[in-house]
Amino acid sequence: MRLRLGIAYDGTNFNGWSRQPGQRTVQGVLEDGLATLFRRTGVAPRLTVAGRTDAGVHAIGQVAHLDVPFDALRAVTRPRRGHPAEAAGEADVLERRLTGILGAGADVVVNGIDRAPDGFDARFSALWRRYEYRVADASARRDPLERHRTVVIPRALDDQAMSTAAEQLVGLHDFAAFCKPRAEATTIRTLQSFRWRRSDDGTLVASLQADAFCHSMVRALIGAVVAVGEGRLEVGTPAELLRAAERTNAFNVMPAKGLVLIEVGYPDDHELETRATQTRARRRLQVQPEQA
């Protein structure tokens, strides 16, 4: 059966999502915890994620799926010797036991495990991903509790100019100027929204939503627009760079710590399989890695 997992993590001490030899990653920590639970079943749990994140990037709305034989799941979640049977279903018991392995103070949390609807694929069924990026400029009130997910710029930023520049980047474009190049990977994306707002403490918060993001795209877009806010680029320059469709050093890619994956959107259950089929068909033609 296929299980859907909701995942949140503080990316500070992770070398990104994807498992890598000798590195601490979110996927590695979760799969190692699952492997401990399934160690007597012969199952080697593997997670498929909605969006791979880079080192230092956080998430509160990450989604992954896990395929496990029902017999193995039942074996892992059966009542322990000397303990009464639990009223909760297998997915709920698995969530509770995995949480116990990860630890109460873990920097990665599984905040929900459910049986996935028919046709669900965490990666290919997704319609969009939404990220936020936090920047504290000279007018913001510093909050030490937010220091791991906020980038500090000790100058005043022109948020109106930043909003105007961001709006000009929305739409279906080739984002080659804002993506790290990868062999056989397309850089064509639909940026559905890109907005800035000030929070109550004056921190600038960007919200970006797209069908998918190519490697480093979010942090590059933020970097270009922050350069507008600093007065180093004209308001229309990011759009001009977009039309040029080639990598540039006109701005700096922003640090990972300010970036949080907020939510992944999916269609209604009866449309999940169709969406996954359509996405796979497109990506067979051109590989489209998702990594922000």
Side-chain angles (χ1 to χ4, degrees), residues 46-192:
R46 290 292 178 265
L47 294 169
T48 298
V49 73
R52 293 175 294 167
T53 50
D54 284 339
V57 177
H58 318 291
I60 61 172
Q62 183 66 278
V63 179
H65 76 246
L66 170 69
D67 292 325
V68 293
F70 184 74
D71 288 347
L73 179 62
R74 187 166 49 192
V76 165
T77 58
R78 69 164 58 103
R80 291 167 176 162
R81 185 175 300 176
H83 292 262
E86 300 186 60
E90 288 88 355
D92 290 333
V93 175
L94 179 63
E95 178 187 343
R96 186 158 53 251
R97 294 185 179 175
L98 179 56
T99 297
I101 288 174
L102 295 174
D107 50 1
V108 56
V109 174
V110 176
N111 50 32
I113 299 181
D114 302 287
R115 184 166 185 168
D118 291 343
F120 175 80
D121 185 291
R123 179 186 179 194
F124 291 112
S125 294
L127 291 172
W128 48 262
R129 288 89 170 163
R130 181 160 58 89
Y131 286 85
E132 285 188 354
Y133 196 96
R134 294 171 52 87
V135 178
D137 70 350
S139 65
R141 185 174 67 250
R142 306 291 172 81
D143 183 350
L145 299 182
E146 299 286 358
R147 68 190 185 281
H148 291 306
R149 69 183 191 115
T150 305
V151 171
V152 175
I153 295 179
R155 296 176 293 281
L157 297 177
D158 184 342
D159 51 306
Q160 293 300 317
M162 292 165 63
S163 293
T164 301
E167 290 171 2
Q168 295 174 1
L169 299 171
V170 173
L172 174 64
H173 305 289
D174 184 345
F175 284 91
F178 301 95
C179 297
K180 286 186 178 179
R182 291 193 167 182
E184 300 180 357
T186 180
T187 51
I188 297 174
R189 296 289 189 275
T190 300
L191 183 62
Q192 298 164 346

Side-chain angles (χ1 to χ4, degrees), residues 36-49:
T36 298
L37 287 172
F38 285 89
R39 63 188 180 280
R40 293 192 178 93
T41 67
V43 172
R46 290 292 178 265
L47 294 169
T48 298
V49 73

Side-chain angles (χ1 to χ4, degrees), residues 123-129 172 184-190 192 210-213 265 267 271-290:
R123 179 186 179 194
F124 291 112
S125 294
L127 291 172
W128 48 262
R129 288 89 170 163
L172 174 64
E184 300 180 357
T186 180
T187 51
I188 297 174
R189 296 289 189 275
T190 300
Q192 298 164 346
D211 55 347
F213 292 93
E271 298 176 338
L272 287 167
E273 188 169 2
T274 299
R275 171 63 180 179
T277 299
Q278 292 171 344
T279 306
R280 286 192 188 94
R282 288 199 303 270
R283 296 189 184 191
R284 273 195 294 268
L285 296 175
Q286 291 182 297
V287 179
Q288 296 186 359
E290 162 68 19

